[in-house]
Amino acid sequence: MCTAITLQSRQKENFFGRTMDFSYPIEPGLYVIPKNYEWYSLLTAKKYIDYYSFISIGQETEGMLGFFDGVNERGFAAAALYFEGYANYDLPIKDKEPIASLDFLHYILGRCGSVDDLIALLENIRIVGLPDPVTQRAAPLHWIATDRSGKCVVIEQTNSGLEVINNPIGVMANSPDFQWHMTNLRNYMDVSITQQKEVYWGNVSLTPFSQGAGTTHLPGGFTSPERFVRTAFLKTHAEVPENRSEAIMTCFHIMNSVSIPKGIVLTDRGTYDYTKYITFINTNTCEYYFKTYENNQIMKVSLWDYYIEGTQPIFLGSIVHPFIT
């Protein structure tokens, strides 16, 4: 359970962020991957070299380093979200390079300078499921990506194949597929930031109790369709922020509306699915802003504070146990 959005300020800086909602125990940390870093595929042991340095939140478990979201030096940013019941890693595709699902975010952050680069890259690859040490299975995933231009796309590999889908609203959640969510928005055309002052049922006058009556039909639950609708409405109707500071505050206010408190969603495994962290990235400055379930203070870290051409990833520390003041 996760939600992601993009948001532009009036200064045309593009912000990209997500909630990380998960029901498994994780210890997310911040990593900086240097330019020209050499790494090996978890699937084929093939060597890859990153063209770009990037900063990312992820986790290393049993020698496997996987990333959840990140941004590279060119301002290309992406995140992985769950896609239960729809992701298909077993397509009979030949003559395309196999990329492990766990490696995919690393692969595109290290090689794509823009969404256009991503579209060209995906013409020649297929995504193959690989079990991770946290869930002990090939986690069903789809991805959202954006760049400094504000262009946004969704990457989904389903029974229909690997698709790159234009995302004009800049919102993504979990299952069903992205096109279903966009169609579902038509069920909420009556939701409005304004309200009628008075209506008549026969001879009876009805007036609203107070402000906000136009949002009565806005869904308030935590299912993926409800979170998508709620986030899409808030994002597209909130006042456009003037500058960087206002943009960050607006982003976090929007995401607070879909942040899940611990204890509200219980899985069939008897574990709580809740928001581990919320993060936003300024794609123009390559700065990360984040807060965690345990700490509501917004913290910031920049790729440029750690930009080097080294040989190994730099582990900045756990975001659960903050290292930045």
Side-chain angles (χ1 to χ4, degrees):
M1 295 174 64
C2 302
T3 312
I5 66 168
T6 63
L7 184 75
Q8 280 192 315
S9 70
R10 293 192 187 277
Q11 297 176 342
K12 299 303 181 182
E13 286 188 324
N14 187 38
F15 293 81
F16 170 69
R18 58 94 57 82
T19 62
M20 167 55 84
D21 313 326
F22 210 42
S23 61
Y24 289 86
I26 56 173
E27 281 281 338
L30 269 165
Y31 294 82
V32 173
I33 305 301
K35 183 178 180 179
N36 297 320
Y37 171 60
E38 297 182 0
W39 58 282
Y40 292 87
S41 165
L42 295 171
L43 185 70
T44 64
K46 178 179 176 179
K47 184 173 77 171
Y48 293 104
I49 300 176
D50 291 323
Y51 303 157
Y52 307 115
S53 176
F54 64 88
I55 186 169
S56 182
I57 292 180
Q59 178 172 321
E60 184 172 10
T61 306
E62 298 179 9
M64 301 173 71
L65 178 58
F67 298 113
F68 309 143
D69 43 75
V71 62
N72 68 22
E73 62 185 274
R74 295 287 297 276
F76 174 81
L81 280 71
Y82 246 57
F83 197 35
E84 188 72 58
Y86 287 81
N88 186 344
Y89 298 134
D90 299 319
L91 299 177
I93 303 173
K94 297 181 179 180
D95 303 323
K96 291 192 175 184
E97 183 174 7
I99 302 295
S101 52
L102 286 177
D103 285 335
F104 183 72
L105 199 63
H106 185 164
Y107 184 76
I108 63 176
L109 287 173
R111 289 176 170 247
C112 298
S114 66
V115 167
D116 289 340
D117 286 352
L118 173 68
I119 293 171
L121 186 73
L122 294 187
E123 290 181 358
N124 301 309
I125 75 167
R126 61 187 174 96
I127 301 171
V128 179
L130 189 69
D132 66 76
V134 175
T135 67
Q136 303 297 317
R137 67 178 186 131
L141 301 173
H142 58 171
W143 297 264
I144 180 172
T146 189
D147 60 27
R148 288 174 181 165
S149 73
K151 186 180 294 185
C152 181
V153 295
V154 169
I155 305 103
E156 294 181 341
Q157 185 169 290
T158 64
N159 293 337
S160 300
L162 180 59
E163 297 180 278
V164 184
I165 307 160
N166 181 47
N167 186 341
I169 204 163
V171 175
M172 194 170 92
N174 311 106
S175 308
D177 59 81
F178 177 72
Q179 297 292 14
W180 185 98
H181 284 293
M182 290 298 292
T183 301
N184 184 49
L185 291 180
R186 295 163 66 182
N187 288 316
Y188 299 91
M189 292 170 59
D190 62 329
V191 178
S192 173
I193 62 173
T194 61
Q195 59 189 354
Q196 296 188 57
K197 293 183 179 179
E198 183 179 29
V199 297
Y200 281 88
W201 287 13
N203 294 324
V204 177
S205 171
L206 303 175
T207 58
F209 291 112
S210 61
Q211 298 300 318
T215 61
T216 298
H217 295 148
L218 193 65
F222 291 110
T223 67
S224 177
E226 290 172 297
R227 286 182 285 107
F228 188 100
V229 171
R230 194 156 70 251
T231 305
F233 178 80
L234 294 177
K235 181 226 162 150
T236 54
H237 290 81
E239 185 176 15
V240 177
E242 289 287 344
N243 52 44
R244 187 175 301 170
S245 297
E246 287 187 12
I248 288 298
M249 288 298 101
T250 300
C251 288
F252 277 99
H253 280 306
I254 291 172
M255 281 312 203
N256 285 340
S257 76
V258 291
S259 177
I260 306 171
K262 191 173 185 179
I264 301 303
V265 177
L266 183 65
T267 71
D268 56 9
R269 304 190 324 275
T271 60
Y272 291 124
D273 198 328
Y274 66 99
T275 302
K276 307 282 189 177
Y277 67 81
I278 303 174
T279 187
F280 275 94
I281 294 165
N282 184 333
T283 63
N284 292 69
T285 63
C286 302
E287 291 173 319
Y288 245 106
Y289 299 82
F290 65 91
K291 64 179 183 177
T292 67
Y293 192 85
E294 294 79 10
N295 186 351
N296 211 36
Q297 179 185 356
I298 297 174
M299 288 164 282
K300 182 182 78 170
V301 61
S302 172
L303 169 64
W304 304 116
D305 291 338
Y306 303 92
Y307 184 83
I308 60 170
E309 293 190 22
T311 59
Q312 294 297 322
I314 304 171
F315 177 58
L316 302 184
S318 169
I319 68 170
V320 178
H321 308 289
F323 57 96
I324 299 170
T325 59

